[in-house]
Amino acid sequence: MVNSSEWEVHPKMKEWILRTQKRCMGYVAIVVDDYDRAIEYYTEKLGFTVVEDTPQAGKRWVVVTPNPEGDCNLLLARASNDRQEVFIGNQCGGRVFLFLHTDDFWRDYGAMKTAGVHFCEEPRQEEYGTVVVFEDLYGNRWDLYQNKW
């Protein structure tokens, strides 16, 4: 058996491997105060789906997603100490933290508005597409956007 550390890969093969690897962001953690309250908000207000809710020692592994067939998921991580609690709702210092891409801006904007999502501004057209900033139940700022292309 050959030890993988002994393998010598031709530079062109290494380049090909790196180009063809499927890599993606699997989870983005967001600090929450209560699992059930967060699940309710993300599913009822934003239309996300619960992918997993697994009990663990002293916590739960809770994953929600806007698209069950997509690669990126939101991990709802309950704050476990005072230091973490400070960051609930302010994970990015007041800047937009997350970007929710849609294929139909006006459909999703209307549904979210009807569901009671707090929008910080009116929708606007930018070079790249249509966008509006909203805040989740904790005050984290998000962009809802649809690309022009």
Side-chain angles (χ1 to χ4, degrees):
M1 182 169 187
V2 177
N3 184 330
S4 63
S5 64
E6 296 172 0
W7 288 12
E8 296 239 358
V9 178
H10 187 276
K12 288 287 185 189
M13 178 58 97
K14 190 174 189 177
E15 180 182 322
W16 179 83
I17 290 169
L18 291 174
R19 272 196 333 262
T20 58
Q21 273 182 335
K22 181 178 188 256
R23 297 171 46 173
C24 65
M25 295 292 295
Y27 304 101
V28 174
I30 187 164
V31 183
V32 302
D33 65 349
D34 179 81
Y35 293 116
D36 294 323
R37 189 166 101 104
I39 290 169
E40 181 180 359
Y41 177 84
Y42 288 106
T43 59
E44 300 298 319
K45 304 283 187 186
L46 300 186
F48 284 28
T49 301
V50 176
V51 175
E52 185 175 356
D53 186 351
T54 304
Q56 295 182 336
K59 61 182 180 177
R60 288 160 54 188
W61 180 263
V62 180
V63 179
V64 297
T65 184
N67 178 359
E69 295 178 15
D71 288 329
C72 191
N73 301 289
L74 195 60
L75 175 66
L76 305 179
R78 189 186 70 214
S80 61
N81 59 46
D82 292 342
R83 184 173 178 208
Q84 293 174 8
E85 285 178 7
V86 172
F87 291 98
I88 295 173
N90 192 27
Q91 289 192 210
C92 212
R95 292 189 54 102
V96 169
F97 172 51
L98 296 166
F99 299 81
L100 182 57
H101 179 254
T102 178
D103 63 350
D104 187 334
F105 179 88
W106 295 107
R107 173 199 65 212
D108 292 340
Y109 173 72
M112 290 166 64
K113 194 167 181 123
T114 299
V117 171
H118 170 70
F119 288 92
C120 304
E121 61 185 15
E122 292 299 314
R124 65 185 191 279
Q125 294 296 316
E126 296 289 347
E127 275 184 30
Y128 55 86
T130 308
V131 63
V132 67
V133 176
F134 69 93
E135 291 181 345
D136 66 17
L137 77 162
Y138 299 109
N140 293 302
R141 295 168 65 90
W142 294 60
D143 272 358
L144 171 66
Y145 75 100
Q146 180 179 4
N147 287 332
K148 276 187 182 176
W149 50 90

